[in-house]
Amino acid sequence: MAAAAGGAARGRGATSFQRKAAAGSRLATVAGTRPSVRHGQLLLSSGLPSLDCVLGGGIAVGTLLLIEEDKYGFYSSLLFKYFLAEGVVCGHDLFVASAKEHPDSILKELPAPLLDEQRNELGEEATAVKSEDFQDSMKIAWRYQNLPKMEASPTTSTKFGHYYDLSKTMSPELFQPIKWHSFYLPEELSLQPTVKTRSMNSAYGRLLLSIQRIISQEGFDGSDPQKKQKNILRIGIQSLGSLLWGDDICCSDTPEDIHSLTKFLYVLRGLLRKSLSACVITIPAHLIENKAIMERVTNLSDTVVGLESFIGSERETNPLYKDYHGLVHVRQIPQLNSLICDVSDMKDLAFRLKRKLFTIEHWFPKGESPPDHQSTAFASRLVRHSEPHKQTGAGRIRQTAELRMWCYGHRQEAPGLLVISP
């Protein structure tokens, strides 16, 4: 009886109440998604695990990823197809828009997903390549050795993010359960010769109406939650802003309608914010002559990634870049639930295209020192903890938890380092 009374007393002191979340708010149950460990936002994979690592885990639902095309548009089209192929494998709905290539042709060229056996074979190949570069890695500066590792090779299977074989195309059977929508501008112009759009390019107005109709009719805006099970709409728009879309920002420094593209992006982001959707847009940024337009386009995008190809440049034959095919520039990373955008810390990124795999890796020029250590005098002042230094009368050792040093008039942060003061 005493034990029972003690248990009752403890029961009155503690509560077993647990707040039950609404079933409709559990967005993490959507196939092919996962919540972010940083901000709790629902993420979906871009189709390239190494790119997901660069973007902080993936593409946030309700955001826009802008890809600045390389000079010939070859590698940017691969990222575009990766994004769509991941949607097919995860069972997401697709919306493909293009003014150059028919969406049916784009979907027929999607890479095939790797099976477990093929994934293990590619993982062994990647391990062999890494073992060959082991001697070179011993010469890497300490700043590069401490960089976070990126998942570039398919070593383990995962439900979030898949790997694809670029030498094969996706089987038509995988498209049967998928619901996809297409927008091919030449066909849209023939079906509806005249569409009234207010202060916007006619092609952009048609595209916005199509996206808005799909989001509303298919219930991606949450207007009819009982209509069907929750799903994600992946929107892919190819070469937006090119002359094929009726926009002259790529051929004139003073285009006729300078605000047409920015108005389109402004309205599109509003549609994405209130729906279970994510959008990837490729844009020929190297052809846009007016840099002010490109700055506004960047500001109206959530994430901006640029590709710089070595094809036709001096770097193509430079031995320092022989292992890579181009550079990756992270222009902008979204700071979700905030009014500002953060700049990614992922610097010195390059991509390489193998026979079956496209990967993004950390890059550094072989035989050269890192760019932050151009001053030998400044570099000589950095000493590791593992390398003890004898204290002499000419100098003294000072160690702090977060040390601030000056180089070229700018304060540098170097936590955990020893400095020998003169």
Side-chain angles (χ1 to χ4, degrees), residues 146-411:
N146 295 329
L147 288 175
K149 295 182 180 180
M150 301 176 59
E151 189 178 2
S153 59
T155 55
T156 57
S157 61
T158 175
K159 295 182 180 180
F160 184 86
H162 300 80
Y163 293 90
Y164 300 89
D165 187 353
L166 294 176
S167 62
K168 300 178 182 179
T169 57
M170 188 172 292
S171 173
E173 286 76 11
L174 295 177
F175 288 94
Q176 293 181 358
I178 302 301
K179 191 171 184 179
W180 58 277
H181 314 270
S182 64
F183 181 93
Y184 186 49
L185 184 59
E187 291 183 353
E188 297 293 331
L189 294 176
S190 61
L191 295 176
Q192 297 179 352
T194 58
V195 173
K196 293 183 179 180
T197 56
R198 184 177 180 182
S199 64
M200 187 182 297
N201 187 337
S202 175
Y204 297 158
R206 297 170 187 267
L207 181 56
L208 279 176
L209 291 176
S210 298
I211 296 176
Q212 185 178 12
R213 182 176 66 254
I214 297 301
I215 291 177
S216 177
Q217 292 180 355
E218 300 298 329
F220 292 104
D221 56 353
S223 57
D224 191 1
Q226 305 298 330
K227 186 174 182 179
K228 63 173 184 178
Q229 186 179 2
K230 289 184 179 297
N231 200 2
I232 300 294
L233 175 64
R234 288 178 178 247
I235 303 174
I237 306 176
Q238 188 182 47
S239 296
L240 191 69
S242 64
L243 192 60
L244 296 175
W245 285 95
D247 204 336
D248 57 346
I249 61 174
C250 292
C251 57
S252 174
D253 190 20
T254 57
E256 182 179 353
D257 193 353
I258 193 172
H259 301 294
S260 186
L261 179 59
T262 54
K263 290 178 181 178
F264 169 82
L265 294 176
Y266 182 82
V267 179
L268 177 61
R269 285 184 67 184
L271 294 175
L272 296 176
R273 288 293 191 270
K274 65 177 184 179
S275 62
L276 286 176
S277 59
C279 182
V280 169
I281 297 178
T282 65
I283 184 171
H286 61 284
L287 298 179
I288 299 179
E289 301 180 5
N290 193 328
K291 300 305 178 183
I293 297 179
M294 195 59 212
E295 291 180 1
R296 289 194 291 266
V297 169
T298 301
N299 294 332
L300 287 172
S301 304
D302 297 299
T303 309
V304 182
V305 176
L307 299 181
E308 179 185 353
S309 173
F310 293 160
I311 299 177
S313 65
E314 297 179 355
R315 294 177 177 176
E316 186 177 11
T317 56
N318 193 324
L320 297 177
Y321 306 93
K322 64 177 182 179
D323 295 333
Y324 303 97
H325 297 91
L327 300 178
V328 179
H329 304 286
V330 182
R331 314 290 189 191
Q332 184 170 279
I333 292 291
Q335 187 70 26
L336 300 177
N337 302 324
S338 178
L339 297 178
I340 61 175
C341 291
D342 190 14
V343 179
S344 174
D345 293 332
M346 306 293 290
K347 305 294 183 183
D348 306 321
L349 297 175
F351 63 85
R352 67 171 72 187
L353 177 61
K354 303 176 184 178
R355 186 173 64 90
K356 296 182 179 181
L357 203 61
F358 179 89
T359 59
I360 297 177
E361 305 171 1
H362 287 291
W363 170 88
F364 62 95
K366 293 184 178 180
E368 291 188 1
S369 60
D372 287 356
H373 297 170
Q374 295 177 356
S375 173
T376 56
F378 175 69
S380 63
R381 297 170 63 87
L382 303 181
V383 183
R384 292 176 180 269
H385 284 297
S386 59
E387 300 175 0
H389 192 280
K390 295 182 179 180
Q391 184 176 2
T392 62
R396 61 186 179 85
I397 297 179
R398 183 182 62 187
Q399 178 180 357
T400 58
E402 183 174 353
L403 200 57
R404 294 175 173 85
M405 293 169 291
W406 293 81
C407 178
Y408 297 112
H410 299 283
R411 188 170 64 186

Side-chain angles (χ1 to χ4, degrees), residues 37-228:
V37 296
R38 297 181 179 179
H39 43 70
Q41 187 77 14
L42 194 63
L43 300 178
L44 53 86
S45 176
S46 64
L48 189 62
S50 55
L51 180 59
D52 293 339
C53 180
V54 173
L55 301 180
I59 304 174
V61 174
T63 61
L64 167 64
L65 169 61
L66 184 71
I67 300 177
E68 298 179 0
E69 297 179 357
D70 52 289
K71 188 175 181 180
Y72 297 98
F74 175 71
Y75 299 104
S76 58
S77 64
L78 290 180
L79 296 183
F80 187 76
K81 293 176 182 178
Y82 271 126
F83 175 73
L84 298 177
E86 183 70 16
V88 174
V89 174
C90 296
H92 298 164
D93 289 13
L94 302 181
F95 180 89
V96 187
S98 176
K100 176 183 178 181
E101 189 177 1
H102 199 283
D104 294 347
S105 302
I106 296 176
L107 295 177
K108 290 180 181 179
E109 297 176 356
L110 296 184
L114 287 175
L115 302 177
D116 292 338
E117 295 79 5
Q118 297 172 327
R119 185 184 297 113
N120 294 332
E121 292 178 1
L122 283 182
E124 294 176 357
E125 294 178 2
T127 305
V129 173
K130 292 180 180 178
S131 61
E132 294 177 359
D133 297 340
F134 176 75
Q135 296 298 331
D136 294 335
S137 65
M138 299 298 294
K139 303 178 182 179
I140 304 176
W142 62 271
R143 183 173 73 89
Y144 291 90
Q145 291 177 342
N146 295 329
L147 288 175
K149 295 182 180 180
M150 301 176 59
E151 189 178 2
S153 59
T155 55
T156 57
S157 61
T158 175
K159 295 182 180 180
F160 184 86
H162 300 80
Y163 293 90
Y164 300 89
D165 187 353
L166 294 176
S167 62
K168 300 178 182 179
T169 57
M170 188 172 292
S171 173
E173 286 76 11
L174 295 177
F175 288 94
Q176 293 181 358
I178 302 301
K179 191 171 184 179
W180 58 277
H181 314 270
S182 64
F183 181 93
Y184 186 49
L185 184 59
E187 291 183 353
E188 297 293 331
L189 294 176
S190 61
L191 295 176
Q192 297 179 352
T194 58
V195 173
K196 293 183 179 180
T197 56
R198 184 177 180 182
S199 64
M200 187 182 297
N201 187 337
S202 175
Y204 297 158
R206 297 170 187 267
L207 181 56
L208 279 176
L209 291 176
S210 298
I211 296 176
Q212 185 178 12
R213 182 176 66 254
I214 297 301
I215 291 177
S216 177
Q217 292 180 355
E218 300 298 329
F220 292 104
D221 56 353
S223 57
D224 191 1
Q226 305 298 330
K227 186 174 182 179
K228 63 173 184 178

Side-chain angles (χ1 to χ4, degrees), residues 2-15:
R10 287 193 299 268
R12 289 192 297 268
T15 177

